[in-house]
């Protein structure tokens, strides 16, 4: 016969086993979400603010009790700005950490490298901000919560033609970046389609520090607009050197310019420049005001668009987990694909058949080192 103390021990053992998780877990183990990005390197502000944004969403959801009766846990990996490292980060998050979904990458070239890994393990990946059209074509487990570059390129071309009355443009392209190459193409097609002329297209590579050869070759044409579809570190340096050479063209950029570092690096040279983006921090919409306020309170800084879109990516994933009633890969994928009218900070998110939401960019202007809403073309 068992003594009462034996019974207690058995019960305790069972409770301990449940608390430690495994198949029999009764809900004490958290749901793991992976975040990966370039937390170091020339685009580091993207992943730093992205991580803050995603974490904020997860903390808010946990404060309201989590999802499916469990708390969420975010694990993050630094891919150091390298596509191959992004692929390894995803493989590590899946095989060692057992994440049920991934938030990342920000930059298209790294999302393109990481997506096949997520796809092969059938773990859904949601990019907050990768705009290159090819990203979600990597497989049916790959999603994004942002617009794609054909619409970003078109919005910029419409803005250049209609608002800036530009007749001519030159383009400076980061030839190793899928984002830069694809966006340049979208802009060119739309700008010329509207009767504008592209005078020259010149290449550079991320990390170059001297752009004088490229700028000197562009200068004689005196384009109305110099379009730089690149990232903020290069864009800031290009702006300085263009102004240093006396170029008068209006500087035009895209979402890759969105960083507090742009004005730090570019200084006076980026004043008056315009770029397209996923949201404006000044948007009076109540959802944006509420997000900006808690972000400022939590982190003591302004949320850029990657903070906002990463907050949305986390929100969309959790919304899908809730609707799926499960974290199993296929069921979660199906729920993500069915995302409809999700009220994001960066706009309403409805996945189309290609796992891309239909959203439109805003155009911001750099003024006194800050960005200001300029237009919604
Ligand atoms: N759209 C960029 C890309 O695809 C990434 C990016 C988005 C960077 C938003 C900054 C802000 O590579």
């Amino acid at each position: 016969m068992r003594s009462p103390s034996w019974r207690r021990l058995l019960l305790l053992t069972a409770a301990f086993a449940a608390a430690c998780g495994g198949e029999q877990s009764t809900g004490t183990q958290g749901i793991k979400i992976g975040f990966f990005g370039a937390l170091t390197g020339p685009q580091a502000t993207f992943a730093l603010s992205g991580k803050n944004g995603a974490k904020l969403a997860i903390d808010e959801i946990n404060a309201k009790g989590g999802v499916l009766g469990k708390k969420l846990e975010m694990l993050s990996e630094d891919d150091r700005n390298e596509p191959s490292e992004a692929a390894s980060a995803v493989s590590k998050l899946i095989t060692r950490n057992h994440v049920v979904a991934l938030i990342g990458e920000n930059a298209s070239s790294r999302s393109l490298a990481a997506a096949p890994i997520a796809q092969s393990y059938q773990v859904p990946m949601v990019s907050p901000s990768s705009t290159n059209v090819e990203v979600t074509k990597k497989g049916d487990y790959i999603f994004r919560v942002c617009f794609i570059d054909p619409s970003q390129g078109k919005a910029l071309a419409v803005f250049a033609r209609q608002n800036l009355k530009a007749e001519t443009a030159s383009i400076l392209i980061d030839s190793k970046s899928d984002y830069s190459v694809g966006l340049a193409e979208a802009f060119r097609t739309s700008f010329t389609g509207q009767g504008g002329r592209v005078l020259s297209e010149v290449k550079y590579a991320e990390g170059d520090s001297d752009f004088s050869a490229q700028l000197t070759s562009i200068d004689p044409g005196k384009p109305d607009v110099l379009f730089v579809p690149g990232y903020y570190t290069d864009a800031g340096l290009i702006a300085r050197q263009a102004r240093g050479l006396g170029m008068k063209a209006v500087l035009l950029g895209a979402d890759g310019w969105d960083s507090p570092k742009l004005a730090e690096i570019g200084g006076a040279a980026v004043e008056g420049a315009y770029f397209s983006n996923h949201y404006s921090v000044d948007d009076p919409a109540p959802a944006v005001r509420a997000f900006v306020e808690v972000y400022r309170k939590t982190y003591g800084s302004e949320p850029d668009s990657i903070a906002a879109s990463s907050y949305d990516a986390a929100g969309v994933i959790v919304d899908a987990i809730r609707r799926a009633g499960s974290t199993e890969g296929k069921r979660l994928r199906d729920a993500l694909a069915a995302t409809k009218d999700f009220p994001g900070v960066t706009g309403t998110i409805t996945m189309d058949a290609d796992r891309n939401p239909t959203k439109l960019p805003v155009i911001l202007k750099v003024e006194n080192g800050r960005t200001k809403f300029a237009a919604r073309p």
Side-chain angles (χ1 to χ4, degrees):
M1 240 179 51
R2 260 183 218 139
S3 73
S5 62
W6 263 109
R7 286 182 80 93
R8 270 198 70 201
L9 190 63
L10 273 176
L11 282 171
L12 276 173
T13 314
F16 181 74
C20 290
E23 289 296 303
Q24 301 308 314
S25 168
T26 50
T28 39
Q29 200 186 26
I31 292 175
K32 291 177 178 161
I33 312 270
F35 175 95
F36 65 108
L39 291 159
T40 48
Q43 300 168 27
T45 70
F46 298 161
L48 294 168
S49 62
K51 192 176 162 187
N52 284 347
K55 179 81 172 41
L56 185 58
I58 284 175
D59 288 347
E60 286 180 357
I61 293 157
N62 281 340
K64 288 189 200 139
V67 64
L68 308 184
K70 297 185 182 193
K71 290 282 159 81
L72 297 158
E73 198 186 323
M74 191 173 100
L75 294 110
S76 74
E77 283 292 324
D78 179 10
D79 62 34
R80 301 194 289 268
N81 213 46
E82 283 292 330
S84 61
E85 293 281 326
S88 322
V90 161
S91 142
K92 180 173 171 211
L93 286 164
I94 295 172
T95 59
R96 283 202 222 155
N97 301 130
H98 309 289
V99 300
V100 301
L102 294 146
I103 302 172
E105 230 271 12
N106 293 123
S108 293
S109 293
R110 294 190 295 278
S111 283
L112 286 165
I117 312 294
Q119 179 69 30
S120 71
Y121 285 105
Q122 305 202 314
V123 172
M125 166 178 143
V126 180
S127 170
S129 59
S130 287
T131 45
N132 183 275
V133 73
E134 296 299 319
V135 170
T136 46
K137 292 187 184 168
K138 290 286 171 190
D140 60 352
Y141 281 71
I142 315 303
F143 297 82
R144 72 180 112 215
V145 293
C146 56
F147 50 71
I148 53 174
D149 284 333
S151 58
Q152 178 162 226
K154 183 173 170 206
L156 282 163
V158 168
F159 179 75
R161 289 288 290 142
Q162 291 180 9
N163 299 54
L164 302 177
K165 311 282 176 227
E167 296 287 332
T168 56
S170 285
I171 314 178
L172 202 41
I173 306 167
D174 176 355
S175 57
K176 289 205 199 105
S177 154
D178 294 287
Y179 159 70
S180 194
V181 172
L183 185 53
E185 187 186 323
F187 176 83
R188 179 200 314 115
T189 308
S190 181
F191 190 71
T192 53
Q194 294 172 71
R197 272 189 307 132
V198 174
L199 303 181
S200 51
E201 292 189 24
V202 188
K203 297 189 163 78
Y204 71 93
E206 178 170 71
D208 286 355
S209 52
D210 182 359
F211 300 91
S212 52
Q214 290 93 327
L215 292 167
T216 320
S217 82
I218 289 170
D219 195 35
K222 307 237 172 302
D224 295 330
V225 160
L226 175 59
F227 178 42
V228 184
Y231 298 118
Y232 64 88
T233 300
D234 299 325
L237 288 173
I238 288 167
R240 284 185 98 94
Q241 293 176 24
R243 294 300 183 233
L245 286 166
M247 283 182 77
K248 297 276 184 298
V250 175
L251 298 176
L252 192 61
D255 57 349
W257 284 34
D258 186 24
S259 167
K261 294 262 180 211
L262 177 78
E264 236 177 270
I265 298 167
V270 293
E271 285 294 311
Y274 295 92
F275 64 93
S276 47
N277 206 4
H278 301 269
Y279 99 127
S280 162
V281 75
D282 302 320
D283 191 329
V288 178
R289 299 309 343 130
F291 167 72
V292 171
E293 199 183 306
V294 335
Y295 189 97
R296 273 189 193 137
K297 222 185 273 161
T298 312
Y299 301 110
S301 61
E302 297 276 285
D304 56 20
S305 79
I306 295 216
S309 57
S310 305
Y311 179 87
D312 285 350
V316 160
I317 289 172
V318 175
D319 174 63
I321 294 176
R322 193 171 287 134
R323 281 184 290 107
S326 164
T327 55
E328 188 269 320
K330 170 81 169 72
R331 287 169 71 180
L332 182 50
R333 188 225 82 87
D334 289 349
L336 275 167
T339 300
K340 196 170 174 289
D341 297 332
F342 177 86
V345 170
T346 58
T348 303
I349 297 163
T350 296
M351 292 296 166
D352 70 11
D354 301 315
R355 298 165 303 284
N356 301 319
T358 311
K359 290 164 87 192
L360 292 173
V362 291
I363 307 287
L364 306 180
K365 183 179 188 182
V366 183
E367 257 183 42
N368 304 318
R370 283 193 84 240
T371 57
K372 209 180 134 234
F373 174 83
R376 208 178 274 276

